[in-house]
Amino acid sequence: MKFDTPAGQNPIDQLRVVGKPTHRIDGPLKVTGTAPYAYEHHDVAPNAAYGFIVGAAIAKGRITSMDLKYAKAAPGVLAIVTAADAGPLGKGKFNTAKLLGGPEVDHYHQAIAIVVAETFEQARHAASLITVQYARAEGRFDLAAAKDDAGPSEPSATVGDFDQAYAAAPVKLDATYTTPDHSHAMMEPYATVAAWEGDQLTVWTSNQMIDWGRTDLATTLGIPAEKVRMVSPYIGGGFGGKLFLRSEAVMAALGARAAKRPVKVAMPRPFSINNTTHRPATIQLIRLGATPDGKITAFAHESWSGDQPGGGPEVAVQQSRLLYAGANRLIRTRLAVLDLPEGNAMRAPGEAPGMMALEIAMDEMAEKLGMDPVEFRIVNDTQVDPENPSRKFSQRQLVECLRQGAERFGWNRRNAKPGSVRDGRWLVGMGMAAAFRNNMNFTSGARVRLGDDGMVTVETDMTDIGTGSYTIIAQTAAEMMGVDLDRVVVRLGDSNFPVSSGSGGQFGANSSTSGVYAACVKLREAVAQRLGFNASEATFADGQVRSGNRSVALADAAKAGEIVAEDRMEWGDLEKTYQQSTFGAHFVEAAVDMATGETRIRRMLAVAAAGRILNPISARSQMIGAMTMGVGGALMEELAVDKRFGFFVNHDLAGYEVPVHADIPHLEVVFLDETDPIVSPMKAKGIGELGLCGVGAAVANAIYNATGVRVRDYPITLDKYLDRLPQMA
Amino acid sequence: MAIATTPQLDAAQPVPASPPPAMPVSLEVNGKRRQLEVDTRTTLLDVLRDHLHLTGTKKGCDHGQCGACTVIVNGERINSCLSLAVMHEGDRITTIEGLGTPDKLHPMQAAFVRHDGFQCGYCTPGQICSAVAVLDEIRAGVPSHVTASLTEAPQVTNAEMRERMSGNICRCGAYSNILEAMTEVAGDGA
């Protein structure tokens, strides 16, 4: 099915199941520990041996020698594989750096060997006995130092004449912001069980994008894709880190081939942060010019980031092309070459760090103009793409989000004068930011079966990384086939199933349910045909198929045998004709201890407009989860770069701090009532990343309002403002 | 850790491999007596996951930094990754599988489902084991960092629960919902 005209009325609009607050259907398995994650498939490979990966101890250079003899002689060792004996390996389309290094080393902790042994303890010990000699080479590890050598990258755009408009603007802001490298730090480590049967490889792994992973694993091993099966039914978080094939899957496959046994590998936590990908640091220059009434006349956002040779930029300017009006615009992206580990997508790539900077700049500009920050944003709203005014947004309720948020949060109680509200030893402030993230649709397929017991089974290689895919896919099939939720079985994350959108970029929910919609339309046709109904007239409800005055139980259609239908949703030009984006507003109240500088978040509210909300329970959880991650970005998250030796120093969960229970108060989320028929037959958009975009700046602005100290370098740790806090009375 | 090391080894050929040291240990896991012979380096966590196939207990960091491996030993919660199995001779161990099953959920498990106190589910067994033990700790009068008075019994407040749960990281960010689930269970049990 191709979606190339806006959706009319369709069975989803009945909203008997879709749109209803629905507890996760996989919930009972997850809360009892019975949902099997990657490393836990004992049943499929009961004789699996254990693999332990050895990582490079230098950031750049060459391995001059590896002495394996002690490791080989260690108890229980079955095989050791290095680049020297792995045979020729390719590189996956989605990988920048090689997943098995040697003799060249591209980054610190790049995998250089796997040791396979009978037990985990034996493999770990033997790995420690490998002696490696390196010839260390000079590397580039400092973004600020590499900034002037950074080359042009995309996106870039110019509209009107920024320089002239900026020079002429009566009110101006010129400020530079920085965001550090971030780690996904998902709770489940990267893990894979690999088993060969002849030339056929099966990997039970933890991967957001089954088809990408399967294809890249085949490419890396130099075998046809159909020789690889990838299975990933439960994923303990990804946040973009598991979008791509990673080294543990490749090393498990190589280890299993060498040991002639299934091999299981989980990356040790302190290894994964430098071995895998991260969100790259940015330096962002924002210049705004406005007239005294607050209309932006000149808008420039330029961003610098770095990556491995052949890598890509952090597209932090993305939202700045679309979020606010302004006739004269300049958008620039610069990319430096760095020899740090590979930079890549992390939750809301682009907008997450971009909004952290832009929405502080908007706060600063509002203050210069003497305007309320909510009002300043409303004044600069645009209903069309500022770079192409003939192009409208499919839906854009930013202003409504801002107004409702301000009303619900009690924004009118904010004192605009910074540092002027006290509560005992606490300086208290309120801050806000807009939320913005583009919507994307990916081709997504599904197979739907109607069994002779009347059960509807959905099969797709879609993944559930905590987002709630199992549940919204079940809701979609139940709505389409007119059955209760308990009559639907959902099977995900297996490359034997039709290729789906996968999970990432907040495209998963809308794309994958649209694919299920398409397959269900086909199944409805097949059912109608089997029952002798006219498919266009048949209705499906309450387990019955009705047409005219005839009514037959749905299950009866499959009495003569299971009915199977498969289709995929493809997308036409509507995302070119219309700009499809999601909007919101974040409000934060923060308190800063006058004496110690400690920051506490007191209240948070997000108002979001993202099309139809398929399941308000899991959608709200996506929002509060993103807001929590946003607090991390604002207050604590930073991969500290060792600029001499080129690695992230704080590469574990003690050193890389993320929010814990004590950091997060009760979080409020409001969804605006919205359907977006231009986007899909589900009339839904992504929600998983919107909640992260802007929230860090809302925290930063609240701290500024509390203290009067503006910090432009994230994270806003107390060492950056303690000496500037107001004098204690 | 998996970095390549440069151990100061004799240049001579390696000595022949000797089998790893093993010891018997007897544990009571979820009410069942389990007699095992384990490598002395094996953690309680790996015994549960890889020897007994009780994979509900999760390995998130293996370094006591995340709480995903939390189990209840003799009535108190511990990080099972920081504890060697042979240290637990005769101990009573309750894992997530011992609290409830999909058909017969423990009240805390049911509350987590009702309040959507999880997303990816990987930290969830540890959160639930901790949550159950935290309420017991407060009832037993064990003070925490935020308890104002050491002479008065701590109360089940948001601040007490958040403080005591802070060793259990949830990167999906379900904290707000987990607190609601715990509050509901604490209220029911009061």
Side-chain angles (χ1 to χ4, degrees), chain A residues 423-502:
Chain A
D423 173 13
R425 66 192 170 103
W426 298 96
L427 297 160
V428 182
M430 288 190 208
M432 58 77 55
F436 174 90
R437 171 74 173 149
N438 279 334
N439 182 72
M440 290 182 276
N441 293 329
F442 279 23
T443 301
S444 199
R447 187 186 299 137
V448 192
R449 301 170 183 276
L450 178 64
D452 58 8
D453 54 358
M455 293 296 287
V456 176
T457 302
V458 185
E459 296 171 343
T460 162
D461 84 355
M462 180 60 187
T463 49
D464 190 330
I465 59 174
T467 39
S469 312
Y470 275 106
T471 310
I472 56 171
I473 283 172
Q475 289 174 276
T476 303
E479 192 83 59
M480 290 299 290
M481 301 313 297
V483 297
D484 289 341
L485 211 52
D486 62 6
R487 308 302 292 164
V488 181
V489 174
V490 180
R491 302 173 68 198
L492 301 182
D494 188 329
S495 60
N496 284 346
F497 300 152
V499 175
S500 73
S501 62

Side-chain angles (χ1 to χ4, degrees), chain A residues 37-279:
Chain A
Y37 295 81
Y39 200 74
E40 300 166 0
H41 293 274
H42 290 291
D43 50 333
V44 296
N47 64 333
Y50 292 77
F52 201 92
I53 301 174
V54 178
I58 61 165
K60 191 163 176 60
R62 272 180 81 81
I63 295 169
T64 54
S65 73
M66 285 179 90
D67 184 351
L68 307 179
K69 65 177 177 292
Y70 294 99
K72 280 183 174 163
V77 170
L78 301 168
I80 298 175
V81 183
T82 69
D85 43 29
L89 294 178
K91 195 178 77 177
K93 178 180 162 194
F94 294 98
N95 296 127
T96 305
K98 287 185 299 181
L99 297 180
L100 173 58
E104 299 298 327
V105 171
D106 303 305
H107 64 86
Y108 187 76
H109 273 182
Q110 186 175 32
I112 56 171
I114 182 168
V115 178
V116 179
E118 292 286 353
T119 72
F120 171 66
E121 293 78 12
Q122 290 170 343
R124 182 180 57 189
H125 174 64
S128 74
L129 300 178
I130 293 178
T131 314
V132 186
Q133 301 296 332
Y134 300 95
R136 195 191 297 271
E138 282 290 306
R140 297 147 290 186
F141 309 121
D142 184 350
L143 176 61
K147 182 172 175 259
D148 292 341
D149 297 327
S153 187
E154 292 299 324
S156 65
T158 53
V159 179
D161 186 336
F162 171 78
D163 288 336
Q164 194 179 35
Y166 185 71
V171 184
K172 290 180 215 190
L173 173 79
D174 177 336
T176 298
Y177 306 87
T178 64
T179 63
D181 299 284
H182 286 154
S183 184
H184 309 85
M186 73 299 281
M187 297 310 298
E188 183 200 17
Y190 297 83
T192 295
V193 180
W196 292 88
E197 263 182 77
D199 62 354
Q200 177 75 39
L201 172 67
T202 304
V203 289
W204 292 266
T205 190
S206 188
N207 193 296
Q208 301 172 221
M209 305 290 290
I210 298 300
D211 194 56
W212 290 6
R214 172 205 196 203
T215 308
D216 271 358
L217 181 53
T219 302
T220 305
L221 297 174
I223 61 177
E226 44 300 353
K227 295 289 183 191
V228 178
R229 179 179 170 214
M230 182 170 276
V231 188
S232 191
Y234 294 96
I235 295 151
F239 312 110
K242 294 173 181 169
L243 285 169
F244 316 112
L245 177 74
R246 297 308 315 167
S247 66
E248 100 292 345
V250 174
M251 301 310 283
L254 293 173
R257 189 157 66 186
K260 299 184 170 54
R261 282 260 294 274
V263 167
K264 55 197 286 186
V265 180
M267 278 193 210
R269 179 64 62 172
F271 176 66
S272 61
I273 287 180
N274 282 287
N275 176 267
T276 65
T277 62
H278 64 279
R279 186 204 302 285

Side-chain angles (χ1 to χ4, degrees), chain A residues 37 55 70 109 128 621 637 659, chain B residues 2-3 5 10 116 119-120 175:
Chain A
Y37 295 81
Y70 294 99
H109 273 182
S128 74
S621 285
E637 289 186 38
Chain B
I3 61 166
T5 55
D10 200 307
D116 214 37
Q119 293 195 47
C120 80
Y175 299 131

